[in-house]
């Protein structure tokens, strides 16, 4: 049940677990094609298991705050399909020993813990959720290239109050805000029985110097060289 990090060796059993990797938007496709060669990039990810893809999003809570369905950030979408992110690849992580009912219970537990309003661009996001979810499924951690730019940001900005002037005046914070506007969409159908509000972790057009700055930030090996 270990990780393989293979984008070609797809498991055929129903308990196969995949990581679906997306470029943040269509403008990021070329950026990530370069950045990935240096072990980096800027991505949205979701974990697919038992024909559902799960990830963590920011969204505005509606109705009763005690209603988990209305305030959780853990939502499902059709595997490989997202209204705002550009699908890049499916990576086979391994097989989970949990059956479908056990996975459903695990997701329900995570939905209580991962509230949408607690979303944070660097310290509580889709990558960190999927890393935890994959470990709980018994298939190990995410591939390093997915986490590299996040780890750079977390090293520069330890968990702290994002409203502090020192952070908000930083060029890196500005760049991350440019690529991380926490906006919502209600246009995705999860499956035939359910529709969820899926938020985009990143939207907008990034061009010119913004992309140059972000390319360096997303390629730790390139910066080190």
């Amino acid at each position: 049940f270990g990780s393989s990090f293979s984008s070609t060796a797809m498991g055929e059993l129903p308990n196969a677990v995949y990581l679906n990797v997306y470029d943040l938007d269509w403008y990021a496709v070329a950026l990530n094609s370069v950045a990935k060669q240096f072990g980096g990039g800027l991505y949205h990810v979701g974990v697919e298991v038992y024909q559902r893809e799960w990830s963590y999003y920011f969204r505005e809570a509606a109705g009763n705050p005690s209603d988990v369905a209305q305030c959780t950030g853990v939502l499902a979408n059709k595997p490989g399909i997202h209204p705002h992110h550009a699908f890049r690849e499916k990576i086979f992580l391994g097989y989970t020993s949990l059956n479908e009912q056990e996975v459903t219970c695990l997701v329900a537990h995570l939905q209580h813990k991962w509230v949408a309003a607690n979303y944070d661009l660097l310290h509580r996001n889709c990558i960190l959720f999927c890393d935890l979810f994959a470990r709980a499924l018994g298939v190990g951690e995410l591939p390093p290239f997915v986490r590299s730019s996040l780890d750079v940001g977390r090293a520069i900005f330890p968990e702290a109050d994002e409203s502090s002037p020192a952070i908000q005046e930083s060029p890196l914070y500005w760049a991350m805000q440019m690529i991380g506007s926490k906006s919502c969409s209600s246009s995705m159908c999860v499956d035939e029985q359910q529709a969820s509000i899926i938020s985009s972790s990143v939207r907008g057009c990034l061009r010119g110097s913004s992309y140059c700055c972000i390319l360096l930030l997303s390629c730790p090996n390139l910066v080190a060289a």
Side-chain angles (χ1 to χ4, degrees), residues 97-152:
S97 60
L98 303 181
N99 60 39
E100 188 169 3
Q101 183 178 1
E102 290 170 330
V103 170
T104 299
C105 291
L106 173 60
V107 169
H109 173 73
L110 294 173
Q111 285 178 322
H112 280 83
K113 299 293 185 181
W114 289 71
V115 178
N118 292 339
Y119 182 97
D120 182 271
L121 186 62
L122 292 176
H123 301 287
R124 196 170 181 85
N125 55 32
C126 66
I127 293 176
L128 296 176
F129 168 79
C130 288
D131 189 66
L132 174 66
F133 189 29
R135 291 172 187 267
L137 292 171
V139 295
E141 61 187 10
L142 302 189
F145 81 89
V146 172
R147 287 193 54 130
S148 62
S149 60
L150 174 64
D151 290 338
V152 170

Side-chain angles (χ1 to χ4, degrees), residues 7-86:
S7 57
T8 56
M10 299 298 180
E12 298 180 356
L13 298 178
N15 62 332
V17 180
Y18 307 97
L19 183 72
N20 291 326
V21 182
Y22 300 80
D23 298 310
L24 294 183
D25 58 23
W26 291 105
Y27 296 100
V29 173
L31 166 69
N32 284 344
S33 295
V34 175
K36 189 180 177 184
Q37 299 179 40
F38 296 93
L42 300 167
Y43 306 99
H44 169 76
V45 295
V47 171
E48 177 184 345
V49 61
Y50 290 112
Q51 301 181 343
R52 278 192 170 188
E53 179 183 318
W54 295 95
S55 193
Y56 175 65
Y57 304 87
F58 174 85
R59 61 171 178 156
E60 297 292 343
N64 186 351
S66 65
D67 188 336
V68 174
Q70 294 182 351
C71 64
T72 184
V74 178
L75 303 171
N77 60 273
K78 293 180 179 179
I81 299 175
H82 199 284
H84 302 301
H85 304 302

Side-chain angles (χ1 to χ4, degrees), residues 1-6 92-94 138-142:
F1 294 106
S3 300
S4 66
F5 295 157
S6 171
F92 174 60
L93 297 179
V139 295
E141 61 187 10
L142 302 189

